């Protein structure tokens, strides 16, 4: 066996400071979908609510059903030229802008337009999911200790949430510029293309940063190292079913993402029909995501002081309480913004903590099964992400239907029934999910830092 590169010891200065710029680009791009997809379908493309439900549910359901395969493929196929995971940071992101743009373009009317949007949504997500999973997998490849994994996770989260601050200025402004060029209906398609290009460039920056951290095999006989990393179907099943902390973490991660995506998707309706001021949405996006960045930045300090597990559990419980209080005062817009900002501060923390917790389950899995399933387990992070996106569409449509929503309703004349229905989706449903997450982590995720260190030492002694 011949290796082109040896694994680098320790994290480089670039990784410590700039790992996450790719996630900044990714989140900047995906925020077009998170904030405006439902709004585009109802208020610009003017599909009926049943059709909106069909489009969002079909696209997100297929996306969710495919979400488990990316890590399995990365772990099971022969590595490409630049390594098993790192190669995907350069191989596929360039396709995304061209596919993603058509998710926000209305071509014709009726079912034809709906089908084009659905196909574009599925294809673009398949393309970017390979890069997303490979990017997260590199945390476990480059981070050899819990501290290094926490460092990478915290930096990644800070950059990802910083992108939302950028988006509060760039997103609406870019869409407005594109509306003047190609028309209001398709403005988000053009914005999606531009931001998709930025994502591809910044993932390439990650590709360069990880140079030297993943051994690249040159010979056909790749030897023991690759044999350990390559997994079969039963290895993947064991890595999941024999890993109770991973199952508990997947449940908690679903709640975390549901909180984020439902809030983002409902926000436009809240400020249009309850606050009565669409312009406040940009302020809300800016303020809440500044809090997100601060939370992500402080997550490493909190994880060191209280442990990553304890921090995640405590923060999720506080978030649930804040959402319930917000619902009780949903017509007081300023109070809602303040409480939601604090809740989003918590999201910044949990967003940063969960990849490090996945890293712990990767160590536990290898200790228990003898197989390194980093790509598979990292890829499973896609499952709660995609399921939450699917449930977001269902929740938003159900709440709007509950309030007898119609795009023809004058926002100033919105009924109390509609306002409460929007607030239910904005606050209570995510709160319930977070409470379930807390219970799952308390009783299901029992890995401690000392145990993970012990498992890592035992794994090293086997080599």
């Amino acid at each position: 066996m011949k290796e082109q590169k040896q694994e680098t010891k320790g994290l480089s200065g670039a990784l410590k400071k700039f790992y996450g710029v790719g996630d900044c680009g990714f989140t900047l791009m995906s925020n077009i979908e998170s904030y405006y997809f439902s709004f585009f379908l109802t208020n610009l493309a003017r599909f009926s609510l049943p059709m909106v439900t069909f489009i969002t549910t079909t696209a997100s359901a297929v996306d969710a059903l495919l979400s488990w395969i990316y890590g399995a493929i990365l772990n099971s196929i022969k590595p490409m030229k630049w390594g098993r995971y790192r190669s995907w940071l350069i191989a596929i992101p360039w396709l995304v802008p061209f596919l993603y743009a058509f998710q926000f373009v209305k071509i014709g009317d009726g079912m034809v337009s709906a089908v084009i949007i659905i196909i574009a949504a599925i294809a673009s997500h398949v393309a970017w999911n390979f890069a997303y999973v490979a990017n997260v997998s590199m945390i476990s490849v480059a981070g050899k200790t819990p501290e290094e994994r926490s460092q990478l996770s915290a930096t990644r989260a800070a950059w990802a949430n910083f992108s939302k601050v950028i988006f509060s200025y760039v997103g609406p402004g870019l869409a407005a510029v594109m509306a003047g060029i190609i028309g209001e209906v398709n403005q988000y398609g053009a914005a999606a293309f531009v931001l998709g290009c930025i994502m591809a460039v910044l993932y390439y920056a990650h590709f360069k940063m990880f140079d030297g951290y993943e051994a690249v095999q040159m010979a056909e006989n790749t030897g023991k190292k690759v044999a350990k990393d390559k997994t079969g179907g039963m290895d993947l099943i064991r890595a999941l079913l024999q890993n109770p902390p991973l199952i508990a973490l997947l449940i908690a991660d679903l709640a975390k993402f549901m909180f984020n995506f439902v809030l983002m998707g409902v926000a436009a309706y809240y400020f249009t029909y309850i606050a009565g001021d669409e312009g406040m949405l940009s302020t809300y996006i800016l303020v809440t995501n500044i809090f997100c960045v601060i939370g992500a930045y402080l997550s490493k300090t909190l994880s060191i002081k209280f442990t990553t597990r304890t921090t995640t559990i405590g923060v999720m419980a506080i978030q649930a309480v804040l959402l319930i209080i917000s619902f009780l005062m949903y017509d007081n817009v300023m109070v809602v913004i303040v409480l939601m900002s604090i809740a989003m501060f918590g999201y910044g923390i949990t967003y940063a903590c969960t990849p490090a917790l996945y890293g712990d389950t990767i160590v536990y899995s290898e200790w228990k099964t003898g197989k390194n399933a980093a790509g598979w387990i990292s890829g499973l992070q896609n499952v709660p992400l995609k399921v939450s996106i699917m449930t977001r569409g269902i929740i938003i449509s159900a709440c709007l239907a509950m309030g007898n929503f119609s795009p023809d309703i004058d926002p100033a004349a919105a009924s109390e029934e509609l306002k409460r229905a929007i607030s239910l989706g904005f606050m209570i449903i995510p709160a319930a999910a977070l409470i379930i997450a807390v219970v799952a982590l308390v009783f299901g995720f029992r890995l401690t830092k000392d145990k993970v260190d012990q498992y890592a030492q035992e794994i090293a002694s086997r080599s």
Side-chain angles (χ1 to χ4, degrees):
M1 180 178 70
K2 183 178 180 182
E3 293 187 350
Q4 188 180 31
K5 295 221 178 251
Q6 299 294 326
E7 293 183 7
T8 303
K9 302 298 182 181
L11 299 178
S12 67
L15 283 174
K16 289 179 179 178
K17 296 175 182 175
F18 298 109
Y19 172 65
V21 295
D23 297 275
C24 179
F26 180 90
T27 308
L28 195 64
M29 170 196 71
S30 61
N31 276 345
I32 290 288
E33 177 182 292
S34 298
Y35 281 108
Y36 295 115
F37 189 39
S38 291
F39 194 77
F40 161 74
L41 294 174
T42 58
N43 288 46
L44 297 182
R46 300 187 72 81
F47 288 110
S48 66
L49 276 180
M51 181 61 78
V52 171
T53 303
F54 172 74
I55 293 171
T56 57
T57 303
T58 301
S60 58
V62 174
D63 196 22
L65 289 172
L66 295 176
S67 61
W68 63 274
I69 70 169
Y70 306 104
I73 291 173
L74 265 59
N75 246 129
S76 302
I77 66 173
K78 182 180 179 180
M80 290 192 286
K81 179 178 179 181
W82 298 284
R84 181 174 296 282
Y85 307 119
R86 179 172 170 254
S87 298
W88 293 88
L89 298 177
I90 194 174
I92 207 165
W94 308 101
L95 295 174
V96 173
F98 300 96
L99 299 171
Y100 187 43
F102 281 94
Q103 185 177 334
F104 299 90
V105 174
K106 186 176 184 184
I107 301 175
D109 292 309
M111 186 57 70
V112 172
S113 180
V115 169
I116 292 173
I117 291 171
I118 291 170
I119 292 173
I122 294 172
S124 62
H125 288 53
V126 168
W128 80 41
N129 281 333
F130 279 106
Y132 178 91
V133 171
N135 178 55
V136 177
S137 298
M138 288 303 297
I139 292 176
S140 295
V141 172
K144 302 303 182 185
T145 65
E147 291 77 13
E148 288 183 347
R149 291 192 290 273
S150 292
Q151 170 72 61
L152 291 172
S153 297
T155 306
R156 172 179 177 264
W159 277 106
N161 286 298
F162 180 59
S163 75
K164 297 178 183 179
V165 178
I166 299 173
F167 185 82
S168 67
Y169 291 101
V170 172
L174 179 61
V177 170
M178 294 304 173
I181 297 174
I182 66 173
E184 183 181 19
V185 173
N186 297 319
Q187 60 182 303
Y188 297 119
F193 178 82
V194 172
L195 297 179
C197 291
I198 293 173
M199 180 276 297
V201 170
L202 293 178
Y203 260 15
Y204 177 73
H206 278 195
F207 171 80
K208 297 296 291 183
M209 287 180 208
F210 282 119
D211 187 18
Y213 283 87
E214 187 177 20
V216 179
Q217 309 296 332
M218 300 299 292
E220 288 189 12
N221 181 13
T222 56
K224 295 182 180 178
K225 176 67 168 62
V226 173
K228 185 176 75 168
D229 289 345
K230 186 174 181 179
T231 52
M234 289 306 300
D235 295 322
L236 301 180
I237 293 173
R238 281 193 292 269
L240 173 61
L241 298 184
Q242 296 181 16
N243 201 331
L246 174 59
I247 296 172
L249 184 57
L250 288 169
I251 294 171
D253 217 14
L254 173 59
K256 178 195 77 178
F257 283 124
M258 182 184 292
F259 165 86
N260 183 51
F261 288 123
V262 171
L263 261 63
M264 293 167 75
V266 180
Y269 297 98
Y270 178 85
F271 286 100
T272 300
Y273 295 98
I274 297 178
D277 186 353
E278 295 179 51
M280 288 186 71
L281 177 60
S282 295
T283 302
Y284 168 81
I285 295 172
L286 173 63
V287 173
T288 55
N289 288 302
I290 287 175
F291 274 78
C292 258
V293 174
I294 297 171
Y297 181 78
L298 294 177
S299 65
K300 183 183 177 184
T301 301
L302 293 172
S303 295
I304 292 173
K305 184 174 179 63
F306 300 108
T307 78
T308 305
R309 173 184 178 272
T310 301
T311 299
T312 303
I313 292 171
V315 167
M316 284 185 165
I318 293 170
Q319 285 177 287
V321 172
L322 291 170
L323 288 173
I324 293 170
I325 296 173
S326 296
F327 178 75
L328 298 175
M329 307 179 69
Y330 71 82
D331 55 346
N332 191 324
V333 178
M334 293 310 300
V335 171
V336 167
I337 290 177
V338 170
L339 293 175
M340 287 297 190
S341 296
I342 300 172
M344 291 301 287
F345 171 82
Y347 175 75
I349 295 171
T350 58
Y351 185 91
C353 287
T354 45
L357 294 177
Y358 277 106
D360 291 345
T361 67
I362 289 169
V363 174
Y364 175 78
S365 175
E366 185 173 354
W367 170 79
K368 191 164 187 176
T369 68
K371 287 283 188 175
N372 184 341
W376 163 241
I377 293 176
S378 296
L380 286 176
Q381 295 182 57
N382 246 341
V383 176
L385 172 65
K386 301 306 180 180
V387 172
S388 68
I389 292 173
M390 179 179 66
T391 56
R392 173 194 62 187
I394 296 172
I395 289 168
I396 293 174
S397 294
C399 289
L400 292 177
M402 189 185 305
N404 295 314
F405 169 83
S406 168
D408 296 323
I409 292 175
D410 181 355
S415 67
E416 285 300 316
E417 181 183 31
L418 177 58
K419 292 179 180 180
R420 286 186 67 83
I422 290 171
S423 299
L424 184 71
F426 200 30
M427 301 151 185
I428 293 299
I429 294 175
L434 288 168
I435 292 170
I436 294 172
V438 168
V439 173
L441 289 176
V442 168
F443 294 102
F445 194 99
R446 297 182 177 274
L447 291 179
T448 64
K449 180 180 181 299
D450 290 340
K451 285 183 179 179
V452 173
D453 287 338
Q454 176 190 334
Y455 298 152
Q457 291 172 8
E458 293 183 21
I459 292 168
S461 68
R462 299 171 187 169
S463 301

